Amino acid sequence: MRLTGYIIAGAMAITWGTAPAQTIDDARQMMLDGDYAAALPIFEKALSAKPKDASLNQWVGVCLLRSGNPKKAERYLKVADERKLIDAPRYLAEAAFEQYEFSKATDLLDRYEEGIDNANKKKARKAPKITKSPEADELRRRTMLGQAMLDRVEKIVVIDSMAVDRDEFFKFYHLSPESGTLNSTDVMPEDYEIAEPSEVYMPQSGEFRIWSAPDKDENYVLMGATRLIDGTWDTPHPLGSALDAGGDSNYPFMMPDGVTLYYANNGPESIGGYDIFISRKDENGFLQPQNIGMPYNSTYDDYLLAIDEVNGVGWWATDRNRLGDKITIYRFIPSDLRVNYPVDTPGLAAHARIDSFRSTWPADADYTEMLQRIDSAEYVSGKSHPDFYFALPGNRIITTWDELRTPAARNAMEEYLDACRRLDRNLKELDSMRMRYAGGDRAVAGRITSMEQEVERERTALREMSNKVVRANEKTR
């Protein structure tokens, strides 16, 4: 969820000369519809012919800002501000907010409101008054929350980051069995209401599930269900109204203690989009959740924090790096005791944003072995590790070879798992090439295209292999 609202309020009317009026009108409508990336080149072309035009500068700035480039947007918004466009300070405040310059954002919002007051004082008595954008009040609230978070940035060690496909990103969380499993929503019975997108958390026992579903008002709430003695599931029930807190609740993870719950919510206690919250359960249910603050939460979406106590590693996902169809997963070392950076720490905002995860490392630290252990799934565990996780019809998940009923099913499963491993390797290689391309290595462009085609073929083949496992398992011995 991003800050949206009235885009062109207060903008001066312009005569476009030879520029096609419909094209400009289309761009303005794109902007109002939230398609800033599509509107941007149209406005930039018009601005190249009229570089000092206040409204064009403001529109280009807004499109850059809402496309995730607040630093570049400032250049254009400052031109609009110098030419006294009344909304320019509000947009500059948003750009400052996105860069964690919360005090600056507050000052700009003050100036925006003062500008409206002064403009109204100069109007004729019967002239309609200029009204403050509702978006400004929302931005001020989030700015105040951001400043409070910036005063309490937790000092953590982030050992790694990875860019992964947004769809089913949670499959990159390599949890030990004791930590439970993160599952696609297709493990749920067909008649259950389920939020999309979301994931389903199950503890190691597999006897309980937590997921997100729309309520009667179409808000997402966390739901739970327990497996009954006969193998069926009881009636889904909300986990508790305390977890809702306005907005949508999604992406749950329960610690093995059965008490501590992490989840995401985009309501009024969120600084931007989804934020990660923690709640604990007592005999009366879940207690009032708390926003876990920075660096976990940002001015963009952050969700699905999971902690593996066996291996001493945690994960969370974030959209703060604005990677389009991809999101970033950070892996970090969790601590029982929260230690915050001093508020006068140089570069505190950079630590809160995680501009460089390696800057969180102690001197001479090396986490190579730890990462290799996690990636190879060589867990330190006193209990047996599942051979795999595979969903069969009827919402049953099997995890061992012994649960496959026929030799043909076991052979089909071997082929399926081999294909899964190949796809995983190719996805990692594709991610690596995309990072090289983003860094300026254009020589990998052809290989990226070829690998993308290969990955798509492998995904199609995987679906057929999965069906083959199911068909083979349904046959009698």
Side-chain angles (χ1 to χ4, degrees):
M1 180 186 297
R2 300 305 321 287
L3 295 169
T4 56
Y6 302 99
I7 304 302
I8 55 176
M12 59 184 289
I14 302 175
T15 301
W16 298 109
T18 58
Q22 186 59 49
T23 301
I24 296 299
D25 286 344
D26 286 347
R28 291 172 62 179
Q29 187 59 51
M30 291 174 190
M31 192 163 58
L32 288 169
D33 292 340
D35 195 354
Y36 304 105
L40 178 59
I42 301 173
F43 288 135
E44 286 180 324
K45 183 177 180 180
L47 183 62
S48 66
K50 305 181 71 173
K52 295 184 179 181
D53 186 278
S55 291
L56 282 173
N57 273 280
Q58 179 163 288
W59 292 340
V60 168
V62 170
C63 288
L64 286 167
L65 175 61
R66 300 288 172 80
S67 298
N69 199 336
K71 187 66 176 177
K72 188 175 180 181
E74 285 184 322
R75 166 190 164 191
Y76 300 95
L77 294 174
K78 285 178 179 178
V79 174
D81 190 33
E82 290 167 359
R83 284 157 176 75
K84 308 301 182 184
L85 286 197
I86 201 163
D87 278 332
R90 173 166 66 90
Y91 295 127
L92 281 168
E94 186 178 335
F97 170 84
E98 297 289 2
Q99 298 172 84
Y100 290 43
E101 297 173 339
F102 301 117
S103 295
K104 178 180 177 181
T106 298
D107 293 341
L108 285 162
L109 286 171
D110 289 342
R111 188 153 64 80
Y112 164 68
E113 294 181 7
E114 291 171 3
I116 290 178
D117 289 341
N118 292 334
N120 283 327
K121 289 177 182 177
K122 294 177 182 178
K123 281 183 170 291
R125 180 176 299 178
K126 294 185 178 181
K129 289 186 177 296
I130 300 172
T131 58
K132 182 175 65 172
S133 168
E135 189 179 44
D137 289 333
E138 173 67 3
L139 178 57
R140 186 180 291 277
R141 184 190 65 76
R142 294 184 184 272
T143 297
M144 293 173 62
L145 182 58
Q147 186 61 64
M149 287 187 182
L150 194 60
D151 291 340
R152 298 187 68 255
V153 178
E154 185 173 355
K155 191 174 185 179
I156 64 172
V157 175
V158 179
I159 59 176
D160 188 29
S161 71
M162 64 182 85
V164 303
D165 289 338
R166 187 179 298 273
D167 295 340
E168 298 188 329
F169 65 91
F170 52 85
K171 291 187 175 180
F172 290 86
Y173 289 44
H174 292 180
L175 297 174
S176 63
E178 292 84 350
S179 301
T181 60
L182 304 172
N183 305 274
S184 301
T185 56
D186 56 13
V187 304
M188 301 297 290
E190 293 182 0
D191 58 341
Y192 279 22
E193 289 282 348
I194 306 170
E196 290 291 350
S198 185
E199 47 79 36
V200 180
Y201 170 77
M202 288 194 293
Q204 184 181 21
S205 67
E207 299 302 310
F208 187 70
R209 294 175 178 177
I210 303 175
W211 72 98
S212 179
D215 65 7
K216 60 181 179 59
D217 297 318
E218 295 302 313
N219 294 318
Y220 289 176
V221 298
L222 296 183
M223 305 290 290
T226 302
R227 191 194 300 271
L228 303 176
I229 296 177
D230 62 1
T232 62
W233 291 85
D234 69 354
T235 302
H237 59 275
L239 292 190
S241 59
L243 301 177
D244 301 340
D248 296 325
S249 295
N250 208 336
Y251 302 106
F253 174 80
M254 178 75 81
M255 294 291 290
D257 61 11
V259 171
T260 307
L261 174 71
Y262 291 99
Y263 71 103
N265 181 272
N266 59 9
E269 296 302 316
S270 162
I271 185 178
Y274 278 113
D275 273 13
I276 300 168
F277 289 77
I278 183 173
S279 179
R280 292 182 173 86
K281 185 171 65 172
D282 64 12
E283 63 274 10
N284 297 315
F286 283 96
L287 305 176
Q288 185 67 31
Q290 300 294 320
N291 188 310
I292 65 173
M294 296 175 179
Y296 310 99
N297 292 320
S298 70
T299 57
Y300 293 91
D301 286 314
D302 302 272
Y303 29 68
L304 193 49
L305 185 144
I307 295 177
D308 182 347
E309 293 180 310
V310 172
N311 288 290
V313 64
W315 289 258
W316 89 92
T318 178
D319 201 28
R320 70 186 66 189
N321 296 316
R322 313 301 291 156
L323 302 177
D325 291 335
K326 291 185 172 293
I327 59 174
T328 302
I329 294 175
Y330 288 118
R331 292 189 277 191
F332 69 102
I333 299 177
S335 175
D336 292 333
L337 179 65
R338 180 174 180 129
V339 176
N340 297 329
Y341 284 101
V343 294
D344 58 352
T345 299
L348 181 61
H351 289 304
R353 292 189 300 261
I354 314 182
D355 288 353
S356 169
F357 73 84
R358 290 184 183 273
S359 68
T360 69
W361 291 15
D364 302 322
D366 184 358
Y367 299 103
T368 304
E369 182 178 345
M370 181 180 186
L371 290 168
Q372 289 175 343
R373 173 166 51 83
I374 297 167
D375 289 336
S376 64
E378 295 175 358
Y379 299 114
V380 179
S381 171
K383 302 179 181 179
S384 61
H385 191 284
D387 297 320
F388 49 76
Y389 291 93
F390 189 86
L392 291 174
N395 306 296
R396 188 168 75 92
I397 295 177
I398 58 174
T399 61
T400 67
W401 293 101
D402 291 339
E403 293 175 276
L404 292 166
R405 299 169 54 194
T406 68
R410 286 189 284 274
N411 291 335
M413 178 62 76
E414 288 180 350
E415 294 177 3
Y416 175 79
L417 294 177
D418 284 343
C420 287
R421 286 188 284 268
R422 285 196 301 272
L423 177 59
D424 185 60
R425 288 194 298 270
N426 286 340
L427 285 172
K428 289 181 179 178
E429 183 179 351
L430 182 57
D431 286 340
S432 176
M433 288 191 294
R434 284 169 171 167
M435 294 294 287
R436 286 168 57 189
Y437 184 87
D441 184 3
R442 297 299 187 260
V444 299
R447 292 172 58 196
I448 289 175
T449 300
S450 297
M451 183 60 75
E452 287 175 340
Q453 293 170 350
E454 177 62 19
V455 164
E456 188 57 36
R457 287 193 294 269
E458 289 178 343
R459 283 175 168 157
T460 300
L462 267 179
R463 287 192 288 270
E464 176 54 35
M465 290 181 185
S466 175
N467 293 334
K468 184 178 178 181
V469 173
V470 173
R471 290 194 298 269
N473 198 57
E474 288 175 345
K475 295 180 180 179
T476 58
R477 294 183 184 273

